[in-house]
Amino acid sequence: MISREFLINGVLALLLLAVPFIASAVGQPFTITLATRIAILALAATGLNIALGLGGLVSFGHAAFFGVGGYVAGILSSHAFSGDPMIFGFEGSKQMLLIWLTAAIVAGLLGLLIGVISLRTSGVYFIMITLAFAQMVYYFAISWPAYGGEDGLSIVVRNQFPGVNTMRPLTFFGVAYGALIVGLGLFAMIRDSRFGAALQAVRQNEVRVASVGISPLPIRLTAFVLSAMMTALAGCLYADLNRFVSPSMLSWHMSGELIVLIILGGTGRLFGPVAGAMLYVVIESALGGITERWQFFLGLILLATVLFARGGVIGLLAGKARHG
Amino acid sequence: MTFSLVLEQLLNGVQLGVMLFLMAAGLTLIFGVMGLINLAHGSLYMVGAFACAVVAAATGSFWLGLAASLAFAAAAGALMEVVVIRRLYGRDHLDQVLATFALILIFSEGTRWVFGSFPLYLDIPQLLQGAVPLPGGTAYPLYRLAIIVTGGLVAIGLTLLISRTRLGMRIRAGESDREMIAALGVDIRTLYTLVFALGSALAGLAGAMVGALQSVQVGMGEPILILAFVVIVIGGIGSIKGALIGALLVGVVDTMGRFLLPQIVGLFMSSAQAGPVGGAIASMLIYLLMAAILAIKPRGLFPAQA
Amino acid sequence: MKAILKAATMALALGSSTLAMAEPIKVGLITTLSGGGAGLGVDTRDGFMLAIKQSGNKDITVVTEDDAQKPELAVQIADKMIQSDNVDILTGIVWSNLLMAVVPGAVAQGKLYISTNAAPAALAGEKCDPLYFNAAYQNDNLHEAMGEYANKVYKKMFIMAPNYPAGKDSLTGFKRYYKGELAKEVYTQVGQTDYAAEIAQIRASGADGVFVFLPGGMGISFMKQYAQSGVKIPVIGPGFSFSQDVLPAIGDAALGVKASGQWSKDLDNEANKKFVAGFQKEYNRLPSLYALQAYDAAQLILSASSKASIKDVKAFAAALNKADIQSPRGKFKFNNNRHPIQDIYVTEVVKENGTLTNKIVEKVFTDHGDAYAKDCKK
């Protein structure tokens, strides 16, 4: 039987895909940029959703991975552009696929390091220690002069994807949208796999899982690392969208925003991050055009969502989740 | 490097620690009793500073401003508890993080709406102007000494309140068993509102005192909020003693790090590079400290009994 | 008297000619209107709009948006203004890091950018662009002026700035001209609010002068704490640390501080009187450096619009480059890298009728350009 949530997911996916084409047809090119931004933020939040939604690991430091992804893209392409070799004579790259791979590896290693230490803690301690690590990366990026420090790093020409021209807004949207769909597919695969079942079991009752001989730590660590890698990939795309990276991608506000996207859409839901990102970006750009006090009203909307619309957008539309 | 310089830096560290304690005490109390993470605690700090600056400007008296900061922050805290926070006690931390994140946005933009974008002026009271001599021939600002004394008094007062008074007994009972205390007929709702107002008043006091040393402006609460969280996590969430020791530790380590690290780095590289590199490590230092402590003691230095 | 007359006729001529060529121009003003740095953005916007209003020109429309001091948001707004609003010229960004994010993309899309404040070295030298103009200064200028000034007054300087590129540029600019002894060079954290540790080092350093570059709230905090510390070593700094937007919040602690600036509200010329009086009348407060810079950016656009059509971007840029305006700062022309060549003064913070403000003490540089112009070949 096709569930209501499944239908809503399909509608959301088609809507996001259709908007840029309509916008392009009626001559509203900026809407394509907005849709691309939604796709990228949704991908970043889907990454976080692996740790947060499935594993119950409230990471308040995912901006670290998002920013690291951005910086990998920025650094590799700036070296490729200027021709200065990096370490080991590697000349950087302007190929998105290679950049994504590098970003995933770097963020995975960073996630492993942060995860090994952070996962010794739980609850509020986990929230705060992940925040602390992200702050470390943030201050490091600000004070590290080689790649612009606080001024950030410009990507002069958008990186390349085999066979297409990424400078065309619609094409770049296609790349980002494709990445989002693959990311959502991976999320669904993880959720429905044996690993995913174990991860969700650990979230719901750690003691019982431990008592049947499964150690929770490796499961959580794997989820955390996967989550970091996917968020970093979104970071690469975000850098390419803006053609710019800066430490603000690493700030705790960014971590907060990623959490906001998930809750706004519906925690633990496959399409929660997509719905959340759509709503967030639309609110931001609509309110920002009306009043410079937009953050005040954004705050009110977020507050109302937490207090009165538990389960977020998807929860409102599709009813209660099947599993807790 | 002389003895007097080290002494001065130590005092600076203690003073920063005391300020952090005022923030952290409220946070840790609220977490201990109600199990709530309040990201908007920094907004109450800002409310205190603005109330003090506005009242001091209108009346010409810093002391009236200080009283106003306590009153306004407590009132804002109580209001926040009754309208919003009360609905979050049963929720998981995720909802609390989001709701209080939203409150930050509302408070910050709301304050700007009322007071505009420019920083307000708040000066140190006449009585505490100037510096006093220190052993070793240097001087230390009187106002900073007064902050240290105030923080010490608050620490003693809080300890007495919690260990000796009826309210304190209920707070302790609330920390150890929430259902039980309600069953015993204590009006739990009023107790929660009171605790929240108390924590808010402490944040407001900190904001007002620091406001005279810095600029009173929107967003001033955010950097100190993050530091206060570092403090309570290092100290052990829910523990007043942990908050005090954590705060002093963070204050001293941060100050000494900023002071000593560039010099230590300077032993290994040229002085032109040592400044930025040492400064960079110094800004990461307390987060390193926190990660190290949590790696060894995952529940902080003085874990409150769960 | 003759000068006044000349200025008046020029203004008249300017006014009438703009009315003659009714070519609509759309300007996108991106600036910081929320968050901690909003004061600077508000002054930028108000200064810009004042010039447009005073000109009576109805052909220029200005779209304003808030960047919240976030580089990513600034880029998005710029994209939107270029793609959806079809603006011809972008302006208004306060911060170097936001400027670096927006300008390369904007000029690549064939749009003009006129900076009202930020002027990173990266855009003044080799990577200068024919469509990028700076109406304020080059970032190093005001620091260089203080270095030159310090040569005359101090023997051993303690210098301090935040640990980020603009901070490092600041101390580099200072040292480019300062030839005396350095007691110590300290980098503080960005956004730092407590300077007790640094003040203790100043006390112990044996310096006879202190140079600080601490913009916005950082400078307010430092100056208040310094005044209480009992340390009596004089402080000097670049103008924006003691600009009109922060002086009221620092209070009397700022009295007597020497700072550098390419403008001060007491400069004696007609254009300045018109600007200062107009600003006070319109907004009921004194203008800051940021307001002046934005005012001149708007004047540049107004002047160019009377000479060339915005449809021909190259011709319009050439008209901008003539800098045919009466700047309140006095002499103003563009260098080969389209950054100003101008006089730079040392000012002192004084109290006038109970209000803190800056007063000119002496002129440090005459017709001062910047160290990067020689690398600009475009």
Side-chain angles (χ1 to χ4, degrees):
Chain A
M1 192 191 93
I2 296 172
S3 75
R4 196 160 154 191
E5 184 174 343
F6 187 82
L7 271 178
I8 291 167
N9 292 351
V11 170
L12 286 177
L14 284 176
L15 186 68
L16 183 57
L17 184 60
V19 164
F21 286 95
I22 298 169
S24 168
V26 298
Q28 284 288 334
F30 181 67
T31 313
I32 306 172
T33 308
L34 279 186
T36 314
R37 187 156 174 252
I38 290 173
I40 294 170
L41 286 177
L43 178 64
T46 302
L48 174 60
N49 211 11
I50 299 175
L52 193 151
L54 299 180
L57 305 169
V58 184
S59 165
F60 204 174
H62 255 52
F65 307 121
F66 192 62
V68 160
Y71 266 98
V72 166
I75 291 171
L76 286 184
S77 83
S78 80
H79 279 281
F81 189 76
S82 67
D84 304 332
M86 302 173 65
I87 40 168
F88 314 129
F90 181 50
E91 284 181 354
S93 172
K94 297 201 64 72
Q95 291 303 325
M96 282 192 190
L97 291 176
L98 186 65
I99 288 171
W100 294 354
L101 183 69
T102 317
I105 293 170
V106 173
L109 290 175
L110 182 68
L112 194 64
L113 179 75
I114 295 180
V116 163
I117 300 172
S118 305
L119 286 167
R120 294 171 49 86
T121 66
S122 60
V124 192
Y125 290 93
F126 182 79
I127 298 179
M128 290 305 150
I129 195 170
T130 45
L131 171 67
F133 276 111
Q135 289 290 102
M136 272 189 246
V137 181
Y138 172 73
Y139 281 116
F140 180 76
I142 279 195
S143 358
W144 193 30
Y147 295 106
E150 168 110 350
D151 279 359
L153 186 61
S154 285
I155 298 175
V156 184
V157 180
R158 200 171 272 160
N159 293 306
Q160 297 146 5
F161 192 84
V164 296
N165 173 14
T166 51
M167 280 311 281
R168 281 189 60 218
L170 214 49
T171 312
F172 184 65
F173 168 78
V175 173
Y177 185 81
L180 172 64
I181 296 299
V182 171
L184 288 170
L186 279 174
F187 179 88
M189 264 173 59
I190 293 171
R191 185 187 59 187
D192 301 332
S193 68
R194 288 188 49 178
F195 166 74
L199 181 61
Q200 292 173 68
V202 169
R203 182 190 74 205
Q204 281 153 6
N205 197 332
E206 186 174 344
V207 182
R208 196 189 304 165
V209 172
S211 68
V212 296
I214 303 173
S215 167
L217 182 67
I219 295 175
R220 285 191 165 139
L221 189 58
T222 312
F224 192 76
V225 170
L226 286 174
S227 162
M229 291 165 89
M230 193 182 289
T231 302
L233 216 148
C236 297
L237 283 163
Y238 200 66
D240 263 326
L241 172 68
N242 296 326
R243 297 186 303 283
F244 178 72
V245 247
S246 81
S248 75
M249 271 178 86
L250 295 157
S251 73
W252 72 276
H253 277 270
M254 192 69 230
S255 297
E257 266 177 48
L258 290 180
I259 297 182
V260 164
L261 298 183
I262 293 184
I263 307 181
L264 210 52
T267 316
R269 311 274 190 152
L270 175 60
F271 266 66
V274 182
M278 283 172 130
L279 191 62
Y280 189 85
V281 171
V282 169
I283 290 174
E284 192 184 67
S285 64
L287 279 181
I290 301 168
T291 163
E292 57 186 71
R293 318 264 176 227
W294 60 275
Q295 292 192 341
F296 183 84
F297 296 101
L298 178 66
L300 284 181
I301 292 171
L302 291 181
L303 194 58
T305 313
V306 191
L307 293 183
F308 307 114
R310 301 180 65 175
V313 177
I314 306 263
L316 270 182
L317 296 173
K320 274 197 188 313
R322 279 165 299 149
H323 44 76
Chain B
M1 197 189 321
T2 58
F3 163 75
S4 61
L5 180 59
V6 175
L7 177 69
E8 187 177 350
Q9 296 289 28
L10 265 178
L11 276 174
N12 287 333
V14 170
Q15 185 257 312
L16 176 62
V18 160
M19 290 317 304
L20 288 174
F21 169 70
L22 289 182
M23 284 292 284
L27 268 182
T28 208
L29 204 59
I30 289 166
F31 186 84
V33 179
M34 286 96 101
L36 178 103
I37 314 181
N38 182 18
L39 290 186
H41 207 65
S43 300
L44 297 162
Y45 172 88
M46 178 182 74
V47 166
F50 271 84
C52 186
V54 168
V55 172
T59 63
S61 161
F62 176 82
W63 306 107
L64 281 178
L66 203 61
S69 75
L70 283 167
F72 269 89
L79 184 72
M80 193 156 114
E81 202 272 345
V82 171
V83 176
V84 177
I85 303 290
R86 185 169 281 186
R87 302 164 206 275
L88 297 169
Y89 292 140
R91 306 282 193 88
D92 59 16
H93 293 321
L94 200 54
D95 284 0
Q96 297 172 353
V97 166
L98 180 62
T100 51
F101 186 76
L103 282 174
I104 295 182
L105 296 179
I106 295 172
F107 265 96
S108 292
E109 279 310 311
T111 309
R112 187 193 322 286
W113 212 331
V114 179
F115 295 101
S117 301
F118 295 95
L120 298 190
Y121 174 69
L122 175 62
D123 198 14
I124 291 164
Q126 204 58 46
L127 188 65
L128 299 175
Q129 294 272 2
V132 289
L134 278 191
T138 65
Y140 196 75
L142 185 58
Y143 187 73
R144 287 188 190 267
L145 283 180
I147 290 181
I148 295 178
V149 172
T150 312
L153 289 177
V154 169
I156 295 169
L158 263 185
T159 314
L160 288 178
L161 175 84
I162 288 172
S163 60
R164 298 284 164 81
T165 65
R166 202 174 181 81
L167 175 67
M169 195 186 75
R170 287 178 180 166
I171 290 175
R172 274 179 292 144
E175 280 177 336
S176 47
D177 193 337
R178 259 167 251 167
E179 283 81 29
M180 185 55 94
I181 178 169
L184 288 173
V186 173
D187 182 356
I188 195 102
R189 288 166 76 104
T190 317
L191 176 69
Y192 282 5
T193 311
L194 265 178
V195 170
F196 205 88
L198 176 66
S200 307
L202 289 178
L205 177 67
M209 289 200 304
V210 166
L213 277 178
Q214 310 177 345
S215 70
V216 177
Q217 62 183 10
V218 173
M220 65 185 286
E222 286 176 20
I224 197 152
L225 169 80
I226 305 240
L227 284 184
F229 269 115
V230 170
V231 164
I232 64 168
V233 168
I234 286 179
I237 301 175
S239 158
I240 294 281
K241 181 176 150 202
L244 182 61
I245 290 171
L248 292 175
L249 193 63
V250 167
V252 171
V253 166
D254 186 51
T255 307
M256 290 318 237
R258 281 195 275 137
F259 162 51
L260 291 175
L261 271 172
Q263 311 197 1
I264 295 171
V265 176
L267 298 176
F268 304 105
M269 51 175 81
S270 76
S271 66
Q273 284 176 309
V277 173
I281 305 176
S283 61
M284 302 180 352
L285 190 63
I286 53 160
Y287 301 106
L288 281 169
L289 173 77
M290 167 174 164
I293 288 179
L294 287 195
I296 299 161
K297 298 191 69 132
R299 297 179 60 79
L301 293 176
F302 300 93
Q305 59 277 47
Chain C
M1 188 61 207
K2 219 173 183 178
I4 299 175
L5 242 144
K6 202 173 148 198
T9 40
M10 288 272 304
L12 211 73
L14 194 86
S16 56
S17 61
T18 34
L19 288 175
M21 290 191 49
E23 186 84 68
I25 296 180
K26 206 163 183 187
V27 179
L29 184 89
I30 307 171
T31 198
T32 304
L33 300 171
S34 65
L40 313 188
V42 170
D43 263 13
T44 301
R45 179 192 63 194
D46 291 352
F48 194 91
M49 297 316 287
L50 179 69
I52 304 282
K53 194 172 172 197
Q54 285 184 343
S55 75
N57 188 319
K58 298 271 182 278
D59 300 323
I60 296 183
T61 40
V62 183
V63 204
T64 309
E65 271 203 59
D66 171 26
D67 59 34
Q69 211 176 330
K70 289 184 187 165
E72 285 78 16
L73 194 55
V75 173
Q76 283 154 29
I77 294 170
D79 276 351
K80 182 175 123 190
M81 284 180 166
I82 294 171
Q83 294 167 5
S84 288
D85 300 336
N86 294 313
V87 299
D88 305 297
I89 303 172
L90 285 170
T91 185
I93 292 174
V94 177
W95 317 95
S96 292
N97 55 335
L98 275 70
L99 189 88
M100 287 299 290
V102 167
V103 168
V107 293
Q109 295 177 69
K111 300 295 170 187
L112 285 159
Y113 189 95
I114 302 172
S115 178
T116 55
N117 186 55
L123 292 173
E126 214 180 318
K127 290 183 183 161
C128 63
D129 191 284
L131 297 184
Y132 167 73
F133 288 79
N134 194 302
Y137 41 60
Q138 197 285 316
N139 271 359
D140 299 6
N141 287 164
L142 300 192
H143 311 292
E144 291 168 347
M146 277 343 266
E148 180 70 24
Y149 173 75
N151 281 332
K152 285 185 268 179
V153 189
Y154 306 112
K155 294 190 173 56
K156 193 175 176 190
M157 292 293 297
F158 185 103
I159 61 177
M160 184 161 92
N163 196 11
Y164 70 126
K168 282 166 211 151
D169 288 352
S170 155
L171 298 193
T172 311
F174 182 85
K175 288 188 288 184
R176 189 175 292 138
Y177 282 81
Y178 176 65
K179 301 293 173 234
E181 191 188 343
L182 275 184
K184 200 160 196 190
E185 188 172 345
V186 168
Y187 287 97
T188 61
Q189 205 171 314
V190 176
Q192 186 171 321
T193 51
D194 197 288
Y195 291 91
E198 288 76 14
I199 291 170
Q201 295 181 55
I202 294 174
R203 193 200 304 275
S205 68
D208 63 349
V210 181
F211 170 82
V212 291
F213 165 57
L214 293 169
M218 295 188 266
I220 298 173
S221 303
F222 173 80
M223 287 309 295
K224 285 169 88 170
Q225 292 162 25
Y226 193 73
Q228 292 304 318
S229 68
V231 184
K232 300 288 180 221
I233 308 169
V235 172
I236 60 174
F240 13 80
S241 299
F242 308 98
S243 180
Q244 204 60 49
D245 51 305
V246 290
L247 278 181
I250 301 178
D252 290 351
L255 272 177
V257 169
K258 302 278 198 319
S260 52
Q262 76 277 44
W263 166 85
S264 167
K265 72 165 199 5
D266 61 332
L267 269 176
D268 190 19
N269 66 57
E270 271 318 298
N272 198 28
K273 286 187 187 120
K274 182 179 163 199
F275 166 63
V276 175
F279 194 93
Q280 275 183 298
K281 181 161 167 275
E282 193 72 28
Y283 308 111
N284 205 15
R285 62 175 196 275
L286 286 172
S288 69
L289 205 58
Y290 307 98
L292 168 270
Q293 292 164 178
Y295 182 82
D296 274 353
Q299 286 209 83
L300 285 165
I301 296 173
L302 286 162
S303 140
S305 73
S306 69
K307 295 184 167 60
S309 161
I310 189 69
K311 298 273 181 318
D312 182 353
V313 176
K314 268 197 179 142
F316 198 87
L320 277 173
N321 206 19
K322 291 206 174 71
D324 188 8
I325 58 165
Q326 297 299 314
S327 170
R329 58 189 116 171
K331 287 186 289 180
F332 179 95
K333 65 176 176 186
F334 280 121
N335 208 341
N336 66 313
N337 60 349
R338 291 159 294 272
H339 283 59
I341 293 180
Q342 57 193 344
D343 297 347
I344 298 185
Y345 307 89
V346 166
T347 59
E348 181 179 356
V349 179
V350 293
K351 211 166 201 173
E352 273 174 12
N353 312 323
T355 311
L356 288 166
T357 184
N358 287 290
K359 217 175 170 61
I360 289 185
V361 186
E362 61 178 286
K363 190 188 278 185
V364 190
F365 289 134
T366 307
D367 293 335
H368 188 64
D370 60 79
Y372 308 99
K374 61 180 183 334
D375 300 324
C376 171
K377 307 286 183 224
K378 281 183 263 182

